[in-house]
Amino acid sequence: MNLETVLRHDTALTQQARHRVLRNTYGLLALSMVPTVLGAWLGVSTGITAALSGWVGLVVFLAGAFGFMFAIERFKHSGVGVALLLGFTFFMGLMLSRLLAVVLGMANGAQLVMTAFGGTAAVFLVMANLSTVIKRDLDGLAKWLFFGAIVLLVGGIINVFVGSSAFMAALSVMAIGIFSAFLLVDLKRIVDGGETNYITATLSLYLSLFNIFQSLLALLGLFGGERE
C-alpha cells in the first residue's frame, strides 16, 4: 500500500468521523427540543415558575444551568451525559416559561412565539450554510464572543434589579448578534472536525439557539405585543 493510498484512506476515515459527529449532534439537538417544549408547557400551564422573579429567579437559574453544564461535561463520554443534557433542556424550558407566559398573554402572543421560532430557525439555517462555505479558522473570534457573553451576563444580572425595558432591548439585540456568531463558530468547528464529542457540540448549539429565541421573543414582546 503506497503513501497516496494511505492518505486517501485516512482522509476518508476523518470525513466519516466528522459526518458521524455532525449527524449525531443534529439528532440529539432535535431530540432536545422535546423536553424543552415539555418544560415550557409545564411552566406556562401550572405557573410553577411565577414566583421565580428578581434575585430568587436569578440564583435558581444560574445554579441550575451551571450545575447541569458542569455535570454534562463531566459525563460527556457516556449515556449519562445524554440524559443530563435532556434534563438540562427541560430545566431551560421551565425557565423560559415565565417569558412565554407573558407573551402568550398578549392578543397576538401565539403569533409572536411562532415568529421568534421561525427567526431562530432562519438564523440556524444561514449559519449552517455559512459554516460549510467559510474557509478561514474562526477560533480567534470565539475568544471575543466569550467576552461578549460575559458582558451580557453581567448586564442581565444588573437589569434584574434595574428593570429597564430599554436596557433589556439593548441586551437582547446584543445577544442575538453574539449568539448567532457563536452558532457559526461552533458549527464551523464541528464541520472542520475540531469538535469530536457530539454531546458537547449539542450543548453549545442548544445554548446559542436558546438565547437567540429568548432574545427574539423578548424583543417581539416589547415592540410587537398587542395588549388586550
Side-chain angles (χ1 to χ4, degrees):
M1 184 179 293
N2 57 36
L3 179 60
E4 182 181 354
T5 303
V6 172
L7 290 175
R8 189 180 302 134
H9 176 69
D10 290 345
T11 300
L13 290 177
T14 302
Q15 290 177 341
Q16 289 178 4
R18 292 177 184 177
H19 290 156
R20 182 171 61 253
V21 172
L22 190 61
R23 183 177 62 252
N24 290 343
T25 298
Y26 282 168
L28 184 55
L29 184 63
L31 180 61
S32 71
M33 296 299 127
V34 177
T36 301
V37 172
L38 288 175
W41 172 80
L42 179 65
V44 171
S45 61
T46 64
I48 193 173
T49 59
L52 298 179
S53 59
W55 67 269
V56 175
L58 179 65
V59 170
V60 171
F61 173 75
L62 293 178
F66 283 103
F68 265 114
M69 286 189 285
F70 175 81
I72 290 167
E73 282 299 305
R74 172 70 175 79
F75 294 99
K76 65 182 180 180
H77 297 295
S78 69
V80 176
V82 174
L84 287 168
L85 177 65
L86 296 178
F88 171 67
T89 61
F90 178 82
F91 170 78
M92 295 298 280
L94 273 177
M95 294 297 100
L96 183 63
S97 65
R98 290 188 69 246
L99 175 59
L100 278 172
V102 172
V103 174
L104 289 173
M106 299 175 179
N108 60 337
Q111 180 183 347
L112 296 179
V113 171
M114 293 307 298
T115 301
F117 178 81
T120 304
V123 171
F124 179 79
L125 290 175
V126 169
M127 296 306 165
N129 285 321
L130 283 177
S131 69
T132 62
V133 174
I134 296 176
K135 301 303 180 183
R136 62 173 296 182
D137 182 76
L138 299 178
D139 285 343
L141 177 60
K143 298 175 183 178
W144 292 101
L145 293 175
F146 179 76
F147 175 75
I150 296 298
V151 171
L152 282 174
L153 178 61
V154 173
I157 292 173
I158 292 172
N159 203 44
V160 166
F161 301 98
V162 175
S164 169
S165 296
F167 193 24
M168 179 181 179
L171 290 173
S172 296
V173 172
M174 288 178 58
I176 292 171
I178 289 172
F179 286 103
S180 294
F182 257 128
L183 198 57
L184 175 60
V185 170
D186 292 331
L187 285 166
K188 175 69 173 169
R189 185 180 296 116
I190 298 169
V191 169
D192 290 347
E195 179 56 73
T196 58
N197 186 280
Y198 74 97
I199 295 178
T200 298
T202 303
L203 177 62
S204 299
L205 297 183
Y206 178 87
L207 286 170
S208 293
L209 290 171
F210 181 91
N211 281 288
I212 292 169
F213 175 79
Q214 180 178 248
S215 300
L216 278 173
L217 190 59
L219 285 174
L220 289 169
L222 285 172
F223 299 109
E226 298 175 1
R227 270 68 179 179
E228 295 180 344

